[in-house]
Amino acid sequence: MSQQGGRPTGPTGPGPEDEWWGQLYDDASDDTGPAPAADSLDDRFASAAGAVNGGGPGAEAPQPPPVPDPRDAPGTPVLPTQRRTPPPTPEAAPPTPSSGTATPTTPSGPTAAPAYGAWTPVAFEPLTPAGDEPEDEAAAARASGLGPLPPPLPSRAYVGTRPPTYDAEPTALPAADPDDLDALVPDTVLDGARYGACTLRAVSVRGDSARYRGEPRRDALLTARFGAGERALVLVALATGVRTAPGAHLAAAEVCRWIGAAVGRSHERLTADIRAARRADLKAGLHRLTDRGLGKLRAAATEQGLDPDDYAATLRCLLLSGDPECRTRVFFGVGPGGLFRLRDREWQDIEPEVTEVKGEPVLGFGSPPHETPDGDRLTMDLGIPTPPSPYEPAPEPPREPFRFRTSVARPGDVLLMCGTGFAEPLRGEPGLRAHLADRWSGPEPPGLTAYLADTQVRVKGYADDRTAVAVWEA
């Protein structure tokens, strides 16, 4: 036969080259039929499996386990698959391999991998040898090379002999006006930062009584930074509205915004005075800014037709320099509250004292002169009150004295400024002071979540809003 596609080169007609072709496809030739010995893929696998398992001639090869019909499984979609014909039983097995050839063995026992047809899954060895498992978590941590996890920080719901009356979580929301939704305040405000050599934490939480009665939080909190770098100035202001006034929370928020705007416009001069420790200039300038802010609050009450005594608020502020070399902390404000310092695990009350003139006038200090400039001696005052003049304005009620203090911090100190809602239980409950001293005397300041939990430790008899600003010195 010639190459594929070629034609025979011999003469035309059947010749010697085509005789074998005719013999192969002659109609008279009989069909050869099936081979006497089985020779399919399954037959070869069964023969090889019998040889591996040590079966000799005539030994029956193990049959593969039956494959479950996927149609019998509930919820399993039935897919068309190729029909598989079971292999016939082999009549003879191949001879056993010679002794010089290594015969592989099949693993047996509980760790042996099951055989599924022509595929056998791999049996993974356990990472820890049997009998070497650690008995506890500490041994497991040592075995892994990692130290044991620190224990969780302790938390206390309250201090004192008895639990507080109110629930620890909010109960009722304040009433809302659909036309004045901006007047709503959240239950809790939490903030923090790190500038210079100090870490700041600030929180304001609605009191238990207000949470139960559905009243808004009367305390307002403002944290702001003016400038950048070493000339940055951080202001933290907190204000508390009058307890019985309906718009107390609005007055507190308004005075915080006004004092923040005033400090922001003068932050460059204030930063220079703080870094230069010009205490007299700071006191005079901050006193003037505070009086202006409270004066605007009284004017706003008059414009709204409200009583200035009701639309009022106390104000307490803290100034921090962004210069790491400057550790002067400036406090100023009007109204009661608390200013504390934690040093060497001991609390110090450093609230500025307000001096008041008491007693009768004495000569040279508050007493009137004994005669007039014309030389006439004054007669005895008979105590007859002078009627008010209709042409002179009525005297204003006495204002709250201005409070001012500068403090030079040491490494490790904690400075705490707070409103009356947190200052009163801190002064009145030794257990709260001891608890916070243990919590805040560590090498690192607490995170925001831990600080919030610390300031929410309750004391029976104190259910007002809590606003606290703490500064940790590096």
Side-chain angles (χ1 to χ4, degrees), residues 1-2 8 10-25:
M1 183 177 180
S2 62
T12 304
E17 295 86 1
D18 297 334
E19 292 180 359
W20 68 273
W21 187 269
Q23 295 176 3
L24 181 63
Y25 290 96

Side-chain angles (χ1 to χ4, degrees), residues 87 91 144 173 289 298:
E91 297 179 358
S144 62
L173 292 173
L289 295 180
R298 289 188 292 268

Side-chain angles (χ1 to χ4, degrees), residues 301-327:
T302 304
E303 292 176 358
Q304 300 175 22
L306 303 175
D307 187 356
D309 293 340
D310 293 339
Y311 198 77
T314 62
L315 178 66
R316 306 176 71 80
C317 302
L318 191 63
L319 293 178
L320 308 173
S321 174
D323 187 359
E325 302 298 329
C326 179
R327 292 185 179 268

Side-chain angles (χ1 to χ4, degrees), residues 23-38:
Q23 295 176 3
L24 181 63
Y25 290 96
D26 189 7
D27 295 338
S29 301
D30 297 332
D31 191 5
T32 57

Side-chain angles (χ1 to χ4, degrees), residues 81-339:
T81 56
Q82 184 178 2
R83 179 177 297 178
R84 182 176 180 182
T85 304
T89 303
E91 297 179 358
T96 305
S98 59
S99 58
T101 305
T103 302
T105 59
T106 302
S108 60
T111 60
Y116 297 94
W119 173 77
T120 303
V122 179
F124 293 95
E125 295 293 335
L127 297 178
T128 304
D132 295 343
E133 293 83 359
E135 298 180 357
D136 53 4
E137 297 182 357
R142 290 191 298 268
S144 62
L146 300 177
L149 296 177
L153 297 176
S155 60
R156 301 185 64 178
Y158 68 93
V159 293
T161 57
R162 293 182 299 170
T165 304
Y166 298 101
D167 293 336
E169 300 299 331
T171 303
L173 292 173
D177 184 358
D179 298 328
D180 192 16
L181 295 179
D182 293 339
L184 297 177
V185 292
D187 177 89
T188 303
V189 175
L190 183 63
D191 205 353
R194 178 175 295 177
Y195 283 99
C198 62
T199 301
L200 173 67
R201 297 288 182 262
V203 66
S204 182
V205 182
R206 188 163 57 133
D208 294 342
S209 176
R211 285 177 167 181
Y212 177 78
R213 303 177 187 276
E215 299 174 355
R217 176 170 49 89
R218 294 182 297 111
D219 285 2
L221 177 66
L222 172 68
T223 55
R225 174 183 61 87
F226 306 102
E230 296 183 355
R231 293 188 170 274
L233 181 66
V234 178
L235 166 69
V236 187
L238 66 90
T240 303
V242 180
R243 182 188 299 271
T244 58
H249 62 291
L250 301 178
E254 197 168 2
V255 72
C256 283
R257 288 193 297 266
W258 278 337
I259 196 65
V263 170
R265 297 187 188 100
S266 307
H267 76 276
E268 294 182 356
R269 176 66 183 274
L270 291 173
T271 301
D273 290 343
I274 293 175
R275 298 177 68 182
R278 290 191 282 264
R279 186 180 184 277
D281 295 344
L282 286 170
K283 184 176 182 180
L286 294 175
H287 194 176
R288 183 172 61 255
L289 295 180
T290 303
D291 284 347
R292 288 179 181 178
L294 296 178
K296 289 183 178 181
L297 190 62
R298 289 188 292 268
T302 304
E303 292 176 358
Q304 300 175 22
L306 303 175
D307 187 356
D309 293 340
D310 293 339
Y311 198 77
T314 62
L315 178 66
R316 306 176 71 80
C317 302
L318 191 63
L319 293 178
L320 308 173
S321 174
D323 187 359
E325 302 298 329
C326 179
R327 292 185 179 268
T328 302
R329 314 303 178 211
V330 180
F331 161 79
F332 68 96
V334 172
L339 184 65

Side-chain angles (χ1 to χ4, degrees), residues 368-470:
H370 63 279
E371 62 180 13
T372 64
D374 297 335
D376 297 334
R377 299 184 64 85
L378 300 177
T379 58
M380 180 183 298
D381 186 5
L382 301 178
I384 301 175
T386 304
S389 173
Y391 304 102
E392 296 180 359
E396 296 182 359
R399 300 179 182 178
E400 287 283 348
F402 178 72
R403 303 169 188 258
F404 177 84
R405 186 181 184 97
T406 58
S407 173
V408 179
R410 298 180 184 176
D413 284 356
V414 180
L415 184 65
L416 176 64
M417 179 187 70
C418 53
T420 56
F422 195 67
E424 291 179 354
L426 194 61
R427 292 190 177 105
E429 179 55 50
L432 181 60
R433 295 195 300 269
H435 175 70
L436 295 181
D438 293 338
R439 297 278 292 170
W440 293 355
S441 296
E444 293 293 333
L448 292 179
T449 305
Y451 181 72
L452 175 62
D454 294 340
T455 54
Q456 285 186 304
V457 176
R458 303 186 300 155
V459 181
K460 185 175 179 60
Y462 302 95
D464 288 343
D465 298 346
R466 291 189 174 188
T467 303
V469 178

Side-chain angles (χ1 to χ4, degrees), residues 351-377:
E351 176 74 12
E353 296 183 0
V354 179
T355 58
E356 297 180 1
V357 179
K358 300 180 180 179
E360 296 295 333
V362 296
L363 184 62
F365 189 83
S367 60
H370 63 279
E371 62 180 13
T372 64
D374 297 335
D376 297 334
R377 299 184 64 85

